[in-house]
Amino acid sequence: MDKDIRTGSIEMTAAMLISGTIGWFVLMSGQPVIDVVFWRCLFGALTLLTICAILGHFRAGILTWRLFTLAVIGGVAIVVNWLLLFGAYARSSISIATMVYNTQPFMLLAIGGLVFREKITATKLGWLAVAFMGMVAIVQAKPSGGYAGSDYLTGIAMALAAAFFYALAALAAKRLRGTPPHLIALIQVVTGLLMLAPFAGASGLPAQPYQWALLVAMGAVHTGLMYVLLYGAIQKLPTHLTGALSFIYPVAALAVDRIAFGHQLQMTQLLGSAAILIAAAGMTFGWTWRSRMRHHAG
């Protein structure tokens, strides 16, 4: 195996496993969502500031005002995405919120079609229909454990909205090709800090050392280290491999929810989740219905 591909695969796998555990950190911190995101941005900014300084990303001419503005817009979208996703965890469970959040490729498809007039093929519409059926199955399912009906639906709506804002952030990032990714991430978390500073800490500071440890980890590990691993992997791997390894994230989140909180998906929720993941994979890898059918026939 090519050395770059092996290294990139290890980096991508590590990044996705780290991402899959963030729900546990959010819920165990016991902090309001605004505070969690604020501290994540603060500790993430300190980590990324150090990384950018080491990599020499603060030299003149590396960023134009136009690119800086785009990075800030992406930052607003990514921070709103975090607020919504973290809020969804407590309302619908880490598993369900993560599965619904995996409708991101379809949000990108919709924005691309509506805003940029990109052509939407019949195959893509087919995968969208599969994902939609998966969503309906999850919505129809009875909430498990301590998740009440209306709260459960609110959680699903928040996870869907989080996926939409993630798609906006991804579109902004697309226009920032060639800009050092760690610098983009730094601008994003500093934007988040400024956005949330007036609202954070209303309920006081965390009282326990373990809460601080969880918040520092979310900034240093889930933001700083994760960005370094993720962007390192993206630079080394072909797109299809990046796409394939990204599915480690929802599987890891599912495992964390099951092991840490004992949440087990019901059959309807499992089927719905599987439909969303299969449809997202179909979109990511450009599977066509004809090639799938030929594959099964053979």
Side-chain angles (χ1 to χ4, degrees), residues 7-295:
T7 309
S9 298
I10 292 166
E11 288 172 340
M12 188 70 185
T13 301
M16 293 301 100
L17 287 172
I18 290 169
S19 296
T21 62
I22 196 164
W24 182 84
F25 283 77
V26 170
L27 295 179
M28 292 306 290
S29 73
Q31 296 299 295
V33 168
I34 283 182
D35 290 10
V36 171
V37 178
F38 173 79
W39 292 113
R40 181 186 187 179
C41 287
L42 176 64
F43 294 123
L46 293 172
T47 309
L48 288 161
L49 196 68
T50 310
I51 292 165
C52 287
I54 292 166
L55 295 174
H57 289 336
F58 294 130
R59 63 187 183 276
I62 209 162
L63 207 63
T64 64
W65 277 109
R66 183 185 155 274
L67 292 175
F68 175 76
T69 307
L70 265 175
V72 169
I73 291 166
V76 172
I78 209 87
V79 169
V80 173
N81 149 72
W82 288 343
L83 290 167
L84 289 164
L85 183 61
F86 293 176
Y89 288 152
R91 289 170 175 82
S92 63
S93 84
I94 293 170
S95 302
I96 293 297
T98 304
M99 292 308 160
V100 173
Y101 185 58
N102 268 275
T103 54
Q104 297 155 9
F106 303 102
M107 300 294 179
L108 273 169
L109 176 70
I111 295 167
L114 294 170
V115 180
F116 301 110
R117 298 280 181 266
E118 288 174 4
K119 188 171 179 283
I120 298 174
T121 62
T123 302
K124 287 177 179 175
L125 283 175
W127 289 124
L128 180 59
V130 172
F132 181 74
M133 286 188 286
M135 274 292 310
V136 171
I138 287 173
V139 170
Q140 294 294 324
K142 286 188 176 69
S144 58
Y147 300 100
S150 59
D151 235 22
Y152 178 74
L153 292 178
T154 305
I156 287 172
M158 288 173 84
L160 268 177
F164 172 76
F165 280 98
Y166 179 86
L168 289 182
L171 283 172
K174 256 187 179 175
R175 306 234 181 285
L176 288 163
R177 281 227 171 98
T179 309
H182 309 108
L183 189 58
I184 298 167
L186 175 62
I187 293 166
Q188 289 177 340
V189 289
V190 170
T191 301
L193 261 184
L194 299 174
M195 276 169 67
L196 301 177
F199 312 104
S203 57
L205 293 173
Q208 302 299 324
Y210 82 87
Q211 293 176 308
W212 282 112
L214 291 169
L215 294 169
V216 169
M218 273 189 271
V221 179
H222 290 91
T223 310
L225 177 63
M226 202 278 287
Y227 267 115
V228 171
L229 290 167
L230 180 65
Y231 289 131
I234 287 169
Q235 284 165 359
K236 295 180 188 80
L237 295 176
T239 309
H240 72 274
L241 206 46
T242 307
L245 291 170
S246 68
F247 286 96
I248 292 170
Y249 160 59
V251 174
L254 214 68
V256 166
D257 205 19
R258 180 77 183 95
I259 296 161
F261 302 107
H263 295 148
Q264 200 165 4
L265 294 183
Q266 298 158 25
M267 186 50 73
T268 324
Q269 292 172 322
L270 268 174
L271 290 171
S273 300
I276 288 172
L277 289 183
I278 289 165
M283 275 282 291
T284 305
F285 304 123
W287 292 343
T288 63
W289 296 99
R290 205 168 293 148
S291 68
R292 294 289 91 197
M293 285 163 74
R294 260 206 310 271
H295 175 72

